[in-house]
PDB file of all heavy atoms in Angstrom:
ATOM      1  N   THR A  76       4.498 -14.968   5.245  1.00 98.00           N
ATOM      2  CA  THR A  76       3.199 -15.087   5.809  1.00 98.00           C
ATOM      3  C   THR A  76       2.146 -13.961   5.314  1.00 98.00           C
ATOM      4  O   THR A  76       2.692 -12.996   4.895  1.00 98.00           O
ATOM      5  CB  THR A  76       3.257 -15.108   7.398  1.00 98.00           C
ATOM      6  OG1 THR A  76       3.497 -13.841   7.754  1.00 98.00           O
ATOM      7  CG2 THR A  76       4.177 -16.107   8.028  1.00 98.00           C
ATOM      8  N   GLY A  77       0.895 -14.268   5.619  1.00 98.00           N
ATOM      9  CA  GLY A  77      -0.011 -13.132   5.365  1.00 98.00           C
ATOM     10  C   GLY A  77       0.290 -11.877   6.190  1.00 98.00           C
ATOM     11  O   GLY A  77       0.204 -10.800   5.706  1.00 98.00           O
ATOM     12  N   MET A  78       0.725 -12.128   7.401  1.00 98.00           N
ATOM     13  CA  MET A  78       0.974 -10.985   8.318  1.00 98.00           C
ATOM     14  C   MET A  78       2.113 -10.198   7.883  1.00 98.00           C
ATOM     15  O   MET A  78       2.148  -9.031   7.940  1.00 98.00           O
ATOM     16  CB  MET A  78       1.273 -11.476   9.868  1.00 98.00           C
ATOM     17  CG  MET A  78       0.051 -12.000  10.574  1.00 98.00           C
ATOM     18  SD  MET A  78      -1.556 -11.103  10.248  1.00 98.00           S
ATOM     19  CE  MET A  78      -1.217  -9.443  10.891  1.00 98.00           C
ATOM     20  N   ILE A  81       0.881  -7.985   5.038  1.00 98.00           N
ATOM     21  CA  ILE A  81       0.118  -6.933   5.619  1.00 98.00           C
ATOM     22  C   ILE A  81       1.146  -5.832   6.246  1.00 98.00           C
ATOM     23  O   ILE A  81       0.954  -4.585   5.954  1.00 98.00           O
ATOM     24  CB  ILE A  81      -0.935  -7.239   6.568  1.00 98.00           C
ATOM     25  CG1 ILE A  81      -1.988  -8.202   5.916  1.00 98.00           C
ATOM     26  CG2 ILE A  81      -1.701  -6.038   7.291  1.00 98.00           C
ATOM     27  CD1 ILE A  81      -3.008  -8.926   6.821  1.00 98.00           C
ATOM     28  N   TYR A 101      -9.703 -10.272  10.511  1.00 93.00           N
ATOM     29  CA  TYR A 101      -8.863 -11.330  11.110  1.00 93.00           C
ATOM     30  C   TYR A 101      -8.122 -10.789  12.292  1.00 93.00           C
ATOM     31  O   TYR A 101      -7.528  -9.784  12.211  1.00 93.00           O
ATOM     32  CB  TYR A 101      -7.998 -11.846  10.006  1.00 93.00           C
ATOM     33  CG  TYR A 101      -6.822 -12.658  10.529  1.00 93.00           C
ATOM     34  CD1 TYR A 101      -7.150 -14.101  10.912  1.00 93.00           C
ATOM     35  CD2 TYR A 101      -5.442 -12.323  10.698  1.00 93.00           C
ATOM     36  CE1 TYR A 101      -6.178 -14.798  11.546  1.00 93.00           C
ATOM     37  CE2 TYR A 101      -4.647 -13.100  11.292  1.00 93.00           C
ATOM     38  CZ  TYR A 101      -4.929 -14.378  11.612  1.00 93.00           C
ATOM     39  OH  TYR A 101      -4.021 -15.206  12.124  1.00 93.00           O
ATOM     40  N   THR A 104      -4.686  -8.962  12.412  1.00 96.00           N
ATOM     41  CA  THR A 104      -4.600  -7.677  11.698  1.00 96.00           C
ATOM     42  C   THR A 104      -4.688  -6.529  12.599  1.00 96.00           C
ATOM     43  O   THR A 104      -3.624  -5.608  12.752  1.00 96.00           O
ATOM     44  CB  THR A 104      -5.462  -7.610  10.509  1.00 96.00           C
ATOM     45  OG1 THR A 104      -5.228  -8.727   9.747  1.00 96.00           O
ATOM     46  CG2 THR A 104      -5.218  -6.348   9.640  1.00 96.00           C
ATOM     47  N   GLU A 145     -11.962  -6.296   4.741  1.00 97.00           N
ATOM     48  CA  GLU A 145     -12.099  -7.645   4.330  1.00 97.00           C
ATOM     49  C   GLU A 145     -13.535  -7.777   3.837  1.00 97.00           C
ATOM     50  O   GLU A 145     -14.441  -7.236   4.401  1.00 97.00           O
ATOM     51  CB  GLU A 145     -11.875  -8.706   5.455  1.00 97.00           C
ATOM     52  CG  GLU A 145     -10.470  -8.732   5.934  1.00 97.00           C
ATOM     53  CD  GLU A 145     -10.335  -9.540   7.245  1.00 97.00           C
ATOM     54  OE1 GLU A 145     -11.324 -10.301   7.599  1.00 97.00           O
ATOM     55  OE2 GLU A 145      -9.239  -9.557   7.859  1.00 97.00           O
ATOM     56  N   ASN A 149     -14.190 -11.702   8.744  1.00 90.00           N
ATOM     57  CA  ASN A 149     -13.785 -12.917   9.372  1.00 90.00           C
ATOM     58  C   ASN A 149     -14.050 -12.423  10.902  1.00 90.00           C
ATOM     59  O   ASN A 149     -13.421 -11.663  11.463  1.00 90.00           O
ATOM     60  CB  ASN A 149     -12.315 -13.111   9.274  1.00 90.00           C
ATOM     61  CG  ASN A 149     -11.824 -14.272  10.015  1.00 90.00           C
ATOM     62  OD1 ASN A 149     -12.434 -14.923  10.669  1.00 90.00           O
ATOM     63  ND2 ASN A 149     -10.459 -14.616   9.737  1.00 90.00           N
ATOM     64  N   ASP A 174      -8.206  -7.277   1.936  1.00 98.00           N
ATOM     65  CA  ASP A 174      -7.728  -8.590   2.253  1.00 98.00           C
ATOM     66  C   ASP A 174      -8.744  -9.642   1.553  1.00 98.00           C
ATOM     67  O   ASP A 174      -9.810  -9.671   2.040  1.00 98.00           O
ATOM     68  CB  ASP A 174      -7.703  -8.771   3.766  1.00 98.00           C
ATOM     69  CG  ASP A 174      -7.176 -10.146   4.142  1.00 98.00           C
ATOM     70  OD1 ASP A 174      -7.268 -11.144   3.438  1.00 98.00           O
ATOM     71  OD2 ASP A 174      -6.570 -10.236   5.422  1.00 98.00           O
ATOM     72  N   THR A 176      -8.432 -12.888   1.224  1.00 98.00           N
ATOM     73  CA  THR A 176      -8.099 -14.302   1.618  1.00 98.00           C
ATOM     74  C   THR A 176      -9.314 -15.214   1.577  1.00 98.00           C
ATOM     75  O   THR A 176      -9.220 -16.344   1.226  1.00 98.00           O
ATOM     76  CB  THR A 176      -7.587 -14.303   3.135  1.00 98.00           C
ATOM     77  OG1 THR A 176      -6.345 -13.521   3.033  1.00 98.00           O
ATOM     78  CG2 THR A 176      -7.159 -15.691   3.493  1.00 98.00           C
ATOM     79  N   PHE A 177     -10.523 -14.682   2.120  1.00 97.00           N
ATOM     80  CA  PHE A 177     -11.622 -15.598   2.216  1.00 97.00           C
ATOM     81  C   PHE A 177     -12.162 -16.078   0.934  1.00 97.00           C
ATOM     82  O   PHE A 177     -12.824 -17.118   0.938  1.00 97.00           O
ATOM     83  CB  PHE A 177     -12.719 -14.920   2.987  1.00 97.00           C
ATOM     84  CG  PHE A 177     -12.695 -15.219   4.516  1.00 97.00           C
ATOM     85  CD1 PHE A 177     -11.561 -15.440   5.222  1.00 97.00           C
ATOM     86  CD2 PHE A 177     -13.901 -15.227   5.239  1.00 97.00           C
ATOM     87  CE1 PHE A 177     -11.705 -15.757   6.503  1.00 97.00           C
ATOM     88  CE2 PHE A 177     -14.011 -15.643   6.564  1.00 97.00           C
ATOM     89  CZ  PHE A 177     -12.857 -15.811   7.256  1.00 97.00           C
ATOM     90  N   SER A 196      -3.698 -13.973   2.750  1.00 98.00           N
ATOM     91  CA  SER A 196      -2.800 -15.053   3.479  1.00 98.00           C
ATOM     92  C   SER A 196      -2.773 -16.182   2.525  1.00 98.00           C
ATOM     93  O   SER A 196      -3.822 -16.861   2.382  1.00 98.00           O
ATOM     94  CB  SER A 196      -3.558 -15.515   4.757  1.00 98.00           C
ATOM     95  OG  SER A 196      -2.942 -16.636   5.285  1.00 98.00           O
ATOM     96  N   THR A 198      -1.497 -18.788   3.019  1.00 98.00           N
ATOM     97  CA  THR A 198      -1.618 -19.951   3.845  1.00 98.00           C
ATOM     98  C   THR A 198      -3.014 -20.726   3.580  1.00 98.00           C
ATOM     99  O   THR A 198      -3.067 -21.907   3.855  1.00 98.00           O
ATOM    100  CB  THR A 198      -1.541 -19.514   5.343  1.00 98.00           C
ATOM    101  OG1 THR A 198      -0.392 -18.656   5.433  1.00 98.00           O
ATOM    102  CG2 THR A 198      -1.423 -20.697   6.198  1.00 98.00           C
ATOM    103  N   LYS A 199      -3.947 -19.920   3.191  1.00 98.00           N
ATOM    104  CA  LYS A 199      -5.352 -20.527   3.211  1.00 98.00           C
ATOM    105  C   LYS A 199      -5.593 -21.028   1.804  1.00 98.00           C
ATOM    106  O   LYS A 199      -4.958 -22.039   1.403  1.00 98.00           O
ATOM    107  CB  LYS A 199      -6.199 -19.289   3.547  1.00 98.00           C
ATOM    108  CG  LYS A 199      -5.808 -18.508   4.755  1.00 98.00           C
ATOM    109  CD  LYS A 199      -5.687 -19.244   6.097  1.00 98.00           C
ATOM    110  CE  LYS A 199      -4.958 -18.604   7.258  1.00 98.00           C
ATOM    111  NZ  LYS A 199      -5.419 -17.235   7.589  1.00 98.00           N
ATOM    112  N   ALA A 209       2.139 -18.513   3.829  1.00 98.00           N
ATOM    113  CA  ALA A 209       2.506 -17.590   2.749  1.00 98.00           C
ATOM    114  C   ALA A 209       1.721 -16.406   2.766  1.00 98.00           C
ATOM    115  O   ALA A 209       0.606 -16.449   3.407  1.00 98.00           O
ATOM    116  CB  ALA A 209       2.371 -18.265   1.282  1.00 98.00           C
ATOM    117  N   LEU A 327      -7.813 -21.977   7.933  1.00 96.00           N
ATOM    118  CA  LEU A 327      -8.860 -22.187   6.913  1.00 96.00           C
ATOM    119  C   LEU A 327      -8.394 -22.354   5.519  1.00 96.00           C
ATOM    120  O   LEU A 327      -7.311 -22.149   5.324  1.00 96.00           O
ATOM    121  CB  LEU A 327      -9.812 -20.934   7.071  1.00 96.00           C
ATOM    122  CG  LEU A 327      -9.236 -19.581   6.497  1.00 96.00           C
ATOM    123  CD1 LEU A 327      -9.847 -19.202   5.179  1.00 96.00           C
ATOM    124  CD2 LEU A 327      -9.418 -18.536   7.547  1.00 96.00           C
TER     125      LEU A 327
HETATM  126  C1  PLP B 401      -4.884 -16.152   8.204  1.00 63.68           C
HETATM  127  C2  PLP B 401      -5.281 -14.755   7.834  1.00 63.68           C
HETATM  128  C3  PLP B 401      -4.346 -13.738   7.800  1.00 63.68           C
HETATM  129  C4  PLP B 401      -2.932 -13.972   8.401  1.00 63.68           C
HETATM  130  O1  PLP B 401      -2.193 -14.860   7.523  1.00 63.68           O
HETATM  131  P1  PLP B 401      -0.913 -15.669   7.975  1.00 63.68           P
HETATM  132  O2  PLP B 401      -0.466 -16.360   6.767  1.00 63.68           O
HETATM  133  O3  PLP B 401      -1.502 -16.516   9.118  1.00 63.68           O
HETATM  134  O4  PLP B 401       0.031 -14.718   8.469  1.00 63.68           O
HETATM  135  C5  PLP B 401      -4.680 -12.455   7.407  1.00 63.68           C
HETATM  136  N1  PLP B 401      -6.045 -12.301   6.946  1.00 63.68           N
HETATM  137  C6  PLP B 401      -6.966 -13.361   6.969  1.00 63.68           C
HETATM  138  C7  PLP B 401      -8.373 -13.035   6.463  1.00 63.68           C
HETATM  139  C8  PLP B 401      -6.553 -14.538   7.417  1.00 63.68           C
HETATM  140  O5  PLP B 401      -7.527 -15.520   7.428  1.00 63.68           O
END
Side-chain angles (χ1 to χ4, degrees):
T76 66
M78 292 319 300
I81 297 170
Y101 169 72
T104 305
E145 288 174 14
N149 181 356
D174 182 334
T176 301
F177 262 35
S196 169
T198 312
K199 317 295 168 56
L327 62 108

